[in-house]
Amino acid sequence: MRTSNTQGRLTRTISRTALIIASVSAVALTAGCSGTGTDSGDGKTVTVYSADGVGSWYTTQFAEFEKQTGISVNLVEAGSGEVVNRVDKEQSNPQADVLVTLPPFIQKAKSAGLLQDSGVDTTAVAAADKDPEGKYVTLAGNYSSFIANPSVDTTNITWDDLLKPEYKGKLQYSTPGQAGDGTAVLILLQNLLGKQGALDYLGKLQANNVGPSSSTGKLQAKVDKGELVVANGDVQMNLANIKDKGSKFTLFFPAAADGKRSTVAVPYVMGMTKGAPHKPAAEKLMEFLLSADAQKTLPDAFAVPARTELRDAPATGTGPSAAATLKGVEIVNVDWNRVLRELDGDVATYQQATGS
């Protein structure tokens, strides 16, 4: 009997040990598969890394997408450069499925090998608004702008006015090379003044600039509260903030010496990340966001649809439209691929000129 009991205890011990080893092996296998660039299994979640600004539109569209497909969307918002840097750092263990950012950062993501051909049908989008190799496509049109606290009369404000002493410590713009809107400020000034002229101007403006900021969106609350009186922004994000949060700041476009006001396009551009953990779900989401039903809601979010047949679609809601805000403002054409090629050098000379 003692021998039988001993053998029984030994058998139970071996069984428990085998169970523990099997359990540990299963956990290790699951952990090893997570985020390696393959679908995790259920296909019920997709992760989007996006430049901030279209959060409210995302909320309604992602809810509708989940209703139609059963797939939920995990949204991570940050500055235009930040989201690309995050995808880059996570290459060995990809977390994002879809990347949405502004130029030239979407071009940078492609150049760095962070994007793959999504396989999504983009025929409804003009050739100029998408990558010929299928790595990215414009999601929504948008334009660079500035915002001012209500205490500032922006009726005839010029670039030279922003150099005045009364703006010292009350003006801030997002950092070129880190934020898409901040990069747009540099590129616009280069087009207006030439590269050296832009550096000379920004060197002078530095006397008033509060300091660097990797996110343009974070400047809105500061202007609204009066901590800043002027900051840069973009039309879609700024108008949406006025509608959604009741901000009182006003949009404006600084005029050149000849009185002309100008801006550059800073569209939200979308691509599928290389090694996307949930590729099939990501493809469905991208197709949904480019669909006519989703795109026709963009004017109410103060953006311009990427689909060519909807480019002039009117907004159905109230408040100023993007088109009305841009009336009388010249849109400067920009070769963002050239901007990307020259960006590192331009940012280095910018840092030298501003001491930042």
Side-chain angles (χ1 to χ4, degrees):
M1 291 292 291
R2 291 177 61 184
T3 303
S4 176
N5 288 339
T6 300
Q7 288 177 338
R9 287 195 297 272
L10 180 60
T11 300
R12 288 193 294 272
T13 300
I14 291 173
S15 297
R16 286 197 297 269
T17 303
L19 179 60
I20 291 170
I21 291 172
S23 299
V24 171
S25 297
V27 171
L29 181 62
T30 303
C33 290
S34 178
T36 58
T38 58
D39 198 324
S40 63
D42 61 11
K44 296 301 182 182
T45 303
V46 60
T47 297
V48 176
Y49 284 6
S50 178
D52 45 16
V54 283
S56 296
W57 184 71
Y58 280 149
T59 297
T60 57
Q61 296 309 308
F62 291 167
E64 180 61 26
F65 176 70
E66 182 173 8
K67 179 181 177 182
Q68 292 184 18
T69 66
I71 301 171
S72 63
V73 182
N74 174 35
L75 174 64
V76 177
E77 290 184 291
S80 310
E82 285 184 74
V83 289
V84 175
N85 290 339
R86 182 163 177 173
V87 171
D88 189 23
K89 291 176 181 177
E90 294 172 351
Q91 284 191 76
S92 62
N93 185 29
Q95 302 298 308
D97 299 294
V98 177
L99 174 67
V100 181
T101 190
L102 310 185
F105 298 102
I106 195 70
Q107 288 83 3
K108 181 179 180 180
K110 178 192 173 183
S111 177
L114 304 179
L115 303 176
Q116 62 174 305
D117 187 344
S118 66
V120 172
D121 181 5
T122 63
T123 54
V125 180
D129 296 327
K130 59 189 176 185
D131 175 46
E133 298 176 3
K135 298 293 177 64
Y136 57 78
V137 60
T138 295
L139 173 62
N142 192 21
Y143 303 89
S144 176
S145 63
F146 276 76
I147 56 175
N149 184 268
S151 62
V152 178
D153 180 6
T154 60
T155 306
N156 297 304
I157 196 168
T158 67
W159 288 102
D160 286 341
D161 287 332
L162 299 181
L163 300 176
K164 293 179 178 179
E166 54 259 42
Y167 291 103
K168 184 175 179 63
K170 290 293 184 179
L171 177 149
Q172 190 173 19
Y173 62 96
S174 52
T175 307
Q178 294 184 31
D181 292 319
T183 304
V185 171
L186 175 61
I187 300 308
L188 178 57
L189 286 169
Q190 287 179 345
N191 277 270
L192 295 175
L193 305 173
K195 285 201 172 186
Q196 188 57 51
L199 292 175
D200 292 342
Y201 176 83
L202 290 170
K204 296 175 183 176
L205 187 65
Q206 193 65 13
N208 291 342
N209 187 24
V210 170
S213 174
S214 62
S215 172
T216 314
K218 293 178 181 178
L219 303 181
Q220 296 179 113
K222 294 181 179 181
V223 174
D224 205 36
K225 295 175 183 176
E227 295 174 20
L228 299 171
V229 294
V230 168
N232 72 311
D234 64 65
V235 171
Q236 184 281 325
M237 177 176 64
N238 296 152
L239 290 179
N241 201 270
I242 291 172
K243 175 186 177 182
D244 297 338
K245 298 185 178 180
S247 294
K248 303 300 181 184
F249 53 67
T250 55
L251 275 70
F252 73 100
F253 304 87
D258 59 4
K260 291 182 179 179
R261 297 177 298 145
S262 5
T263 186
V264 296
V266 284
Y268 293 95
V269 190
M270 173 174 63
M272 182 181 290
T273 63
K274 183 180 179 180
H278 312 95
K279 187 177 187 298
E283 186 175 347
K284 289 179 182 178
L285 176 63
M286 292 178 68
E287 288 174 344
F288 174 84
L289 294 176
L290 289 174
S291 69
D293 284 344
Q295 288 276 305
K296 69 184 181 183
T297 65
L298 280 168
D300 286 326
F302 309 105
V304 179
R307 294 180 67 99
T308 53
E309 83 274 19
L310 296 174
R311 292 300 293 266
D312 298 321
T316 58
T318 59
S321 66
T325 303
L326 290 163
K327 187 175 182 180
V329 180
E330 179 184 0
I331 299 172
V332 177
N333 292 321
V334 175
D335 179 352
W336 288 108
N337 286 307
R338 179 189 62 78
V339 169
L340 178 62
R341 289 193 299 270
E342 301 173 2
L343 185 61
D344 287 346
D346 287 347
V347 170
T349 54
Y350 162 81
Q351 290 171 341
Q352 291 173 359
T354 59
S356 58

